[in-house]
Each structure stands twice: as C-alpha cells, then as structure tokens.
Amino acid sequence: MMMTTGQFRLAAITAVTTAALSCCCFAQAAAGSDASAFAAVDQWKTAVLAGDAAGLSSLYSTNPAIQVAIGKDASDATGETSFWVGLKARKIDLQINKRTSPQPGMQVVVFQTEVQSGSETLYLTVAQAWQQQGESWRLVVIKHTTPTHLQQPPNADKNIYPHNVDARKEIKEAEEQAAKDHKRVLLVFGANWCYDCHVLDLAFHRADFASTMAGYDVVHIDIGTDGKKNADLAKQFQVPLEKGVPALAVIESDGKLVVSQKNGEFENARAMTPQALLVFLNKWKPEAR
C-alpha cells in the first residue's frame, strides 16, 4: 500500500524521535543554542503539574493520531495521559537536551525530567515530536523511558576510567590515604562504555550520599574494551566480571578484602533505588571513630 504524503512525514518524524531516545544518551546542548525554550513544552509541563487530563489531551494530535511509546511498550493518548496524571507530580525540573526542526512546522524536543511524585523523586528522559496545526502545536509522537529512581546521565562522555592509569598504583595510593583518614577503599570495576557505570558514578555524587561516601576512598578500575583488562585484580579481589559491571569490592587500608560482589548486583544500576545502594555502602563503611 502506498503511503500518503502525511503518512510519510509522520513516519519520518517517528524515526527521528525514536533515534533520539534509543540509547538514553544525549549530548548536552550549549546554552542559548537550539535547546532554547519551547512554549508548547511549557504548556505540557503546566498540564502535568495540574493533573489536568483534559489539558494534556488537548495537546495531542488526532489527525494524524498521536503515536506513543513508554519504554519498549507501545501506548496511546489515553495511556499517556493516565501515566502523567498518575504520577501526581508536585514539582518537575525539566532540562532540554536538544531541540531540532527536521522539517518546517515540526519540532523534536528531547529533555530530562526530575519529578517529585509523593515522597519519591523519579527521573525520565522524554522525546516529543510537535507539529504545527493551524495556530497551535500538537504532539504527534511521544517516546519516553520508564521512571527510574536514580538520575540518568545525559551522556557517557565522562572519563571515569582513564585507559592509561596504573590501577595497582592507584589502589596502593588509596590504601595509604585510607589508613591516614581511617577509611576503607571502594574498588569499582567498570568501563567508560558501560552506561550503568556512569549511573553509579552519578549516584555516588548525590548530596544524600555524602556522609556515606566520606567513609571510602574510591578507585575506578578499567576493564577495557574487551572486558579483560585488569582481570588479575578482579581475580585477586574475587570479583567475577562475567557477571557484569559495575562491580564493587571493599578492602581495608592494608589491602585485606572485606566484601566483593559475586552476582552482578549493580550491573543494572539504572534500575536501582538510592536506598538499595546505600544499604550496601552503609553496611561496609568503616565504623565511626
């Protein structure tokens, strides 16, 4: 069956929006560039905060019908409205990562949201395709991640695991410093290509983790592009890399192993809660002196 011009354009916009959200990693746009404010997104945010189902529905295109995906699952206008209203958001911090106009009368906006929902803080990455219909903008495609309890980094550009670092030397220096500061050493096996390693690193820098992380000196140990680099250290500290990374081990300042992960407990860090991470970190941090 031959596609109409309208169907072809919608298919093209859907492809662009899907590509934008496919890896949940977006290059941060520079301030004042194409990531400038877009009034239609502000309308959407206002409706979400108000729990205004009718207001949200009024922003959806009916011709062509809006296309919606939440995570890997297809949804529809009703499901999308129920999703956002159901969050009962008290506050939304929205950061636009990228805004493009793939064709006249179209805007694709990619942003990250931090949502205060009840007593929880949830994080989502959202891609929206807007079409100008008359004097109004309507949503024709929406794709977003399922909510997470840990902030997801906008990209994996941070060099957490420099390739030219001598891991044994870094461990030795950390042990010496930990002895002076009455701390333990937290070994984090991973790699820059590992998205969950970036999620975990971001969590370590949360304000509510500060008192716990103060009990550790952290050493990042690179497993390389093939996952085999520093395999001798992983074996020494009883970390089975085949179970996935990031993988953690805690050692005393004299190098004695305190505990190591055996079952890839953190390899899906993006789906974890802050509380689950803190349970591990608080359990193995040194006792207060």
Side-chain angles (χ1 to χ4, degrees):
M1 181 176 65
M2 185 173 294
M3 297 177 69
T4 66
T5 301
Q7 289 173 323
F8 180 82
R9 288 178 177 174
L10 181 59
I13 295 300
T14 302
V16 170
T17 312
T18 300
L21 194 57
S22 60
C23 67
C24 301
C25 301
F26 309 103
Q28 184 63 41
S33 67
D34 62 354
S36 56
F38 182 42
V41 173
D42 290 334
Q43 283 184 275
W44 171 86
K45 177 181 173 181
T46 298
V48 172
L49 284 171
D52 182 1
L56 282 173
S57 297
S58 72
L59 298 175
Y60 302 155
S61 174
T62 57
N63 184 25
I66 187 172
Q67 297 183 14
V68 181
I70 302 175
K72 296 181 180 179
D73 299 322
S75 186
D76 56 19
T78 300
E80 177 69 357
T81 298
S82 298
F83 173 86
W84 288 104
V85 172
L87 289 182
K88 298 180 179 179
R90 295 184 294 105
K91 180 182 178 183
I92 295 179
D93 289 328
L94 186 151
Q95 180 179 353
I96 293 180
N97 288 30
K98 192 170 185 179
R99 175 182 163 195
T100 60
S101 180
Q103 63 187 44
M106 300 298 304
Q107 292 284 331
V108 175
V109 187
V110 180
F111 56 89
Q112 290 182 295
T113 58
E114 179 179 319
V115 180
Q116 298 293 327
S117 175
S119 60
E120 293 184 311
T121 300
L122 302 173
Y123 301 91
L124 300 94
T125 302
V126 183
Q128 297 178 338
W130 295 82
Q131 182 184 57
Q132 192 167 19
Q133 299 179 359
E135 297 183 356
S136 301
W137 287 91
R138 296 285 184 268
L139 281 160
V140 291
V141 180
I142 302 176
K143 295 180 180 292
H144 57 78
T145 58
T146 53
T148 64
H149 291 86
L150 288 176
Q151 184 177 1
Q152 311 292 296
N155 54 58
D157 292 345
K158 184 177 180 181
N159 190 18
I160 306 172
Y161 297 88
H163 72 277
N164 58 348
V165 168
D166 184 335
R168 287 192 176 276
K169 181 180 178 182
E170 285 216 327
I171 292 172
K172 183 63 176 177
E173 291 174 351
E175 289 173 347
E176 292 173 355
Q177 190 61 49
K180 295 177 183 178
D181 299 336
H182 308 293
K183 296 182 179 183
R184 282 177 170 169
V185 178
L186 180 64
L187 306 179
V188 186
F189 290 82
N192 286 331
W193 51 257
C194 164
Y195 183 74
D196 290 281
C197 295
H198 290 269
V199 174
L200 184 64
D201 179 70
L202 200 58
F204 285 166
H205 291 88
R206 288 170 56 110
D208 55 341
F209 275 47
S211 61
T212 297
M213 296 305 298
Y216 295 102
D217 280 319
V218 180
V219 178
H220 291 94
I221 302 176
D222 185 25
I223 66 169
T225 56
D226 61 358
K228 297 179 180 179
K229 183 179 178 181
N230 290 312
D232 56 334
L233 287 174
K235 183 177 180 180
Q236 177 182 340
F237 295 112
Q238 301 176 29
V239 176
L241 295 179
E242 67 275 9
K243 297 290 186 178
V245 291
L248 277 58
V250 178
I251 62 175
E252 298 284 11
S253 59
D254 62 1
K256 180 182 178 181
L257 179 66
V258 177
V259 66
S260 61
Q261 293 184 304
K262 297 295 194 295
N263 298 299
E265 291 90 339
F266 287 0
E267 62 91 19
N268 191 26
R270 73 187 76 184
M272 297 185 71
T273 65
Q275 294 77 16
L277 290 175
L278 284 171
V279 166
F280 176 89
L281 295 169
N282 282 325
K283 181 176 182 180
W284 302 109
K285 72 178 182 180
E287 295 183 3
R289 296 176 63 89

